[in-house]
Amino acid sequence: MRGRFVLSGARIKRTTSNVKHLRVFTQTVWMAYMAKRLIEEGKSTTLRDLYYMAESYGVKFKDQQESDSIIADVEALLGVSREQLRIFPEERATIYGDLTIRYNVHGYERTILNLTASPDGVAIGPALAAADFQDCGAEKVIMVESGGMFTRLIEEKAHEKFKAVLIHTAGQAPRLARHFAYRLKRELGLPVYIFTDGDPWGAHIAMVIISGSANAAHVDSLVIPDAKWIGILPTDIEDYRLPFEKFNEKDWKRLHDLMADPRYQSPFWRNQLKKFEEEGKKSEQQALSIYGLSYVTEKYLPEKLI
Amino acid sequence: MRGRFVLSGARIKRTTSNVKHLRVFTQTVWMAYMAKRLIEEGKSTTLRDLYYMAESYGVKFKDQQESDSIIADVEALLGVSREQLRIFPEERATIYGDLTIRYNVHGYERTILNLTASPDGVAIGPALAAADFQDCGAEKVIMVESGGMFTRLIEEKAHEKFKAVLIHTAGQAPRLARHFAYRLKRELGLPVYIFTDGDPWGAHIAMVIISGSANAAHVDSLVIPDAKWIGILPTDIEDYRLPFEKFNEKDWKRLHDLMADPRYQSPFWRNQLKKFEEEGKKSEQQALSIYGLSYVTEKYLPEKLI
C-alpha cells in the first residue's frame, strides 16, 4: 500500500523503422526539440501553446489531448516534470510568509524578495517556482483552500503566530503550488498542513497534495506523502459544533468515488470517509466564523498544528 | 443608450413601525453595524463569512442569497462599494508593471512596492486595491484573460515595449481588478485595453469591464466606459488567419444571450456579434502562437494599441 499511484513497469518501444510508429515518433522528437529551444531561449509556454505551435511546424496532432500525452511521454522519458521543460500550467496560487527567495529568470538575476513584500501575497508562477531559497523564518507550511481564509490568516498574523508560510490554492492546488510546497518540505524540512472545506472536494484537495494525481503519477516532485490534512475534518463538524449543510447528490457521488479510490484505503482516510457517509454533513472553512473572525487563529489552528 | 445598466428611480421605505418590515430592517442595521466594526478593527471579510456570522448574533437569513442582497442594499444606501466596507470577494487577479504603490493596511503603513517586484506578478487583494499610487512609468493598462498569455507578455517585455501595466484577470475580471483598473484610469489617466479569447465569453469579459454587471449596477467605481476590446475580435480570426474552432451549442446559446443584451447595441458591438453569427468561428489568444511565441508582441499588439 503506497497510498499513491505508481506506474507499472510496462515499456513502449518506438522506432522509425516501423511505419506505424513514425507519426508518434516524430511528435515526440518535435516536442523534445521545442523543450530544448524553450530552455535555451529562457521562454516559457503552455500545453495549449504547444498544440498550436506544432501546426506551424507541420507536425500534426489530432487534438490537444494527443499533444498533452506526448508531453507526458517526454516527462517520463527524461524523468523531469514539464515545468522543468518550461511548459507551465495556467493556474496560479499565491504565497505569503517569511521566506526570502532569489530569482534566476532573465532580467531578475539575483533579485531578492521576501514573500511578505505584499500583504495580498505573491503569485507562484514560473519565476518563483524556480527561485532559490535564501532565508526562511518559517517552520511550517499551511495550504489554504479559500481566498477569504487566506486573507483572514494574514490579517490575524497567523504567519507570525504559527511561524507559517501560507499558500492559497484557490481550490485544487495548481501543479506549481504543489511543486513549491514539495521543495519547502524537501529543501527546508518544513512540514506541510492542508486546510480545506469539510466536504469530499476538500478531502480530495488534500489527497492530491499528499498522494499526487493519476495523470502525473510519473512526476515525483509533486507528491508530499507526509503532508497532513488538518480539516475541516468530518469529525470536526461535530467536535466544534459547526453549522453544516446536508450532502447533495453531487457530494454523495463524489464521496462514493473517493471511497473506491486506492489512495483512500489507510485507516485515517477510511474513518474520515465513513464519518462523511454516516452523517452526510459538510461544512466550510467560513463556518468557523460563527464564533467570530479570530476563532480560527485563537482556537481551531492551535489545536490542529500540534 | 447608456451601454450599461442604470438603476431606475424606484425607492423602498423600510420602517420599524411596520411589523412586516421588521425582519429586513433588522438585517440591514446589523449589516451596517458589522461593516462599521470591520472598518474600525481594520479587518476584512467575505459575503460567505457574514452569512455565517449573522447566526451567532441571532440575526436570521434564509440563505446566503438573502444576506448578499442586504449587502447590496447597504451599498446602494451609502453609495459605496462593499469593498469599501471591507467585504471582499474570493477571487484574486494578478498585476505586473512599472507602478509604485504605497500600502495603508495595518503592519504595512507607508510600505512602498513597485509592481515589477515579482516577475510572476502581485495579487490584487484588499491591501493593494486600497493602496495609494506613488509613481507610474506606465502609460496604459492591458487586461489579459489567460495566465499563459500574461506570462508570455512579461517574458517578451510587453510592459517595457508598450509602457503598459498588465493585469491577469483569469477569466471574468474579479471586482477588485475592475476597481483597480478604474482607479488607474481615473487617478492616472491610463487608457484601458482588454485582450481576451475570440469567443462570446471573451467578448463578455470585455463588456463587464466596460459596462459593468447587472447586479453591481449601483456601483460606479466598477465601470470603465472607454476601455477598449482589442481582441481577439471575430474579424481578427480572418484578418490574421488564425486557427479556429467551430461554435458548439453552448457558444451559440451564449452568443444569442449577448445579442439580446442591452449593453451590446452599439454599432461596434453589433458588428462584432454579427460576424460571430455569420462565421460561427472562435479562436483563442494561444492561437497566435501558430506564428511563433513573439508574434503577439511583434505584430498583433503593435497593430492594436494605436
Side-chain angles (χ1 to χ4, degrees), chain A residues 9 23 44 64 105 108 128-129 140 144 170 217 249:
Chain A
R23 176 188 156 89
S44 64
Q64 197 193 323
V105 293
Y108 282 81
L128 185 58
K140 60 179 73 68
V144 183
E249 209 176 309

Side-chain angles (χ1 to χ4, degrees), chain A residues 54-254:
Chain A
E55 197 164 320
S56 60
Y57 283 81
V59 177
K60 291 285 174 205
F61 287 104
K62 207 167 58 230
D63 49 28
Q64 197 193 323
Q65 214 170 9
E66 192 179 44
S67 87
D68 289 358
S69 84
I70 294 290
I71 292 166
D73 286 354
V74 175
E75 280 185 312
L77 201 61
L78 301 178
V80 298
S81 70
R82 64 175 187 245
E83 287 82 0
Q84 291 169 280
L85 306 174
R86 305 198 58 77
I87 304 163
F88 291 99
E90 285 270 313
E91 303 77 22
R92 301 280 183 268
T94 308
I95 188 166
Y96 182 86
D98 184 13
L99 172 68
T100 305
I101 56 95
R102 191 180 67 177
Y103 287 112
N104 302 310
V105 293
H106 181 60
Y108 282 81
E109 293 86 354
R110 297 170 185 282
T111 300
I112 303 283
L113 188 72
N114 182 281
L115 299 184
T116 55
S118 158
D120 297 319
V122 172
I124 306 180
L128 185 58
D132 295 323
F133 300 144
Q134 289 287 103
D135 196 28
C136 182
E139 293 173 3
K140 60 179 73 68
V141 178
I142 308 177
M143 303 183 79
V144 183
E145 176 176 354
S146 82
M149 185 55 79
F150 179 71
T151 298
R152 165 80 27 80
L153 293 182
I154 294 173
E155 282 183 3
E156 300 289 335
K157 303 220 171 294
H159 54 291
E160 291 176 4
K161 187 164 182 181
F162 306 116
K163 291 191 191 299
V165 168
L166 308 171
I167 295 177
H168 172 214
T169 67
Q172 272 296 350
R175 278 175 60 130
L176 285 179
R178 289 159 57 201
H179 176 64
F180 201 77
Y182 169 87
R183 288 190 55 203
L184 289 169
K185 168 75 193 168
R186 185 180 174 114
E187 297 175 33
L188 302 176
L190 307 189
V192 175
Y193 298 90
I194 307 160
F195 183 22
T196 70
D197 287 339
D199 56 31
W201 318 88
H204 202 59
I205 288 171
M207 180 54 80
V208 168
I209 292 168
I210 294 167
S211 295
S213 65
N215 55 16
H218 55 288
V219 185
D220 279 330
S221 62
L222 293 173
V223 176
I224 310 172
D226 49 5
K228 192 179 167 198
W229 188 33
I230 57 167
I232 311 284
L233 305 183
T235 45
D236 292 330
I237 299 174
E238 231 170 66
D239 294 350
Y240 290 86
R241 293 196 289 151
L242 298 178
F244 59 85
E245 287 178 24
K246 287 299 213 176
F247 271 26
N248 60 32
E249 209 176 309
K250 276 186 178 171
D251 297 323
W252 282 117
K253 182 180 176 322
R254 192 76 189 117

Side-chain angles (χ1 to χ4, degrees), chain B residues 16 68 164 169 298:
Chain B
T16 50
D68 289 358
T169 67
E298 281 170 10

Side-chain angles (χ1 to χ4, degrees), chain B:
Chain B
M1 195 72 260
R2 298 278 291 273
R4 59 171 288 212
F5 290 113
V6 176
L7 295 186
S8 74
R11 286 167 177 275
I12 291 175
K13 189 175 176 183
R14 287 174 191 157
T15 161
T16 50
S17 61
N18 181 335
V19 72
K20 280 187 195 155
H21 292 178
L22 212 51
R23 174 188 157 88
V24 66
F25 185 86
T26 313
Q27 290 172 336
T28 311
V29 169
W30 179 81
M31 201 58 89
Y33 161 74
M34 284 307 294
K36 180 162 181 287
R37 267 194 55 186
L38 288 166
I39 292 168
E40 281 172 359
E41 296 176 20
K43 295 200 176 190
S44 64
T45 184
T46 62
L47 297 173
R48 193 75 180 155
D49 267 335
L50 283 169
Y51 167 63
Y52 280 116
M53 291 183 73
E55 197 164 321
S56 60
Y57 283 80
V59 177
K60 291 285 175 204
F61 287 103
K62 207 167 55 229
D63 49 28
Q64 195 194 326
Q65 214 170 9
E66 191 179 46
S67 87
D68 289 358
S69 84
I70 295 289
I71 292 167
D73 286 355
V74 174
E75 281 185 311
L77 201 63
L78 301 178
V80 298
S81 71
R82 65 174 186 246
E83 287 82 1
Q84 290 169 281
L85 305 174
R86 305 199 57 79
I87 304 163
F88 291 100
E90 285 270 315
E91 302 78 21
R92 301 279 184 269
T94 307
I95 188 165
Y96 182 86
D98 183 14
L99 173 68
T100 305
I101 56 95
R102 194 180 65 179
Y103 288 112
N104 302 309
V105 293
H106 181 59
Y108 281 81
E109 294 85 354
R110 297 169 187 281
T111 300
I112 303 285
L113 188 71
N114 181 281
L115 300 184
T116 56
S118 157
D120 297 318
V122 172
I124 307 180
L128 185 58
D132 295 323
F133 300 144
Q134 289 286 101
D135 196 26
C136 182
E139 293 173 2
K140 60 179 72 69
V141 178
I142 308 177
M143 303 183 80
V144 183
E145 176 176 353
S146 82
M149 185 54 79
F150 179 71
T151 298
R152 166 79 28 82
L153 293 182
I154 294 173
E155 283 183 2
E156 299 288 334
K157 305 222 170 292
H159 53 291
E160 290 176 3
K161 187 163 181 182
F162 306 116
K163 292 191 189 300
V165 168
L166 308 170
I167 296 177
H168 173 214
T169 67
Q172 273 295 348
R175 278 176 59 130
L176 285 179
R178 289 159 57 201
H179 176 64
F180 201 77
Y182 169 87
R183 288 189 56 205
L184 289 170
K185 167 77 193 167
R186 188 183 172 110
E187 297 175 33
L188 302 177
L190 307 190
V192 176
Y193 298 89
I194 308 159
F195 184 21
T196 69
D197 287 339
D199 56 31
W201 319 88
H204 202 60
I205 287 171
M207 181 53 81
V208 168
I209 292 168
I210 294 167
S211 295
S213 65
N215 55 17
H218 55 288
V219 185
D220 280 330
S221 62
L222 292 174
V223 177
I224 311 173
D226 48 6
K228 192 179 166 197
W229 188 33
I230 57 166
I232 313 286
L233 306 183
T235 46
D236 292 330
I237 300 174
E238 233 170 63
D239 294 349
Y240 290 86
R241 294 196 289 151
L242 298 178
F244 60 84
E245 286 179 23
K246 287 299 213 175
F247 272 26
N248 60 30
E249 209 176 310
K250 277 187 179 172
D251 297 323
W252 282 117
K253 186 183 172 321
R254 192 75 188 117
L255 178 66
H256 292 131
D257 287 349
L258 299 192
M259 293 179 94
D261 185 315
R263 291 168 288 180
Y264 284 88
Q265 303 310 320
S266 74
F268 169 79
W269 284 105
R270 273 171 43 190
N271 281 339
Q272 295 300 336
L273 298 191
K274 212 175 118 203
K275 185 75 182 169
F276 270 137
E277 198 183 26
E278 284 165 8
E279 306 280 338
K281 292 177 181 172
K282 59 181 179 176
S283 203
E284 297 167 25
Q285 298 190 300
Q286 269 69 19
L288 293 164
S289 299
I290 193 169
Y291 302 117
L293 293 177
S294 304
Y295 185 79
V296 61
T297 46
E298 281 170 10
K299 169 94 170 144
Y300 188 82
L301 286 179
E303 293 181 356
K304 291 288 188 165
L305 297 172
I306 44 165

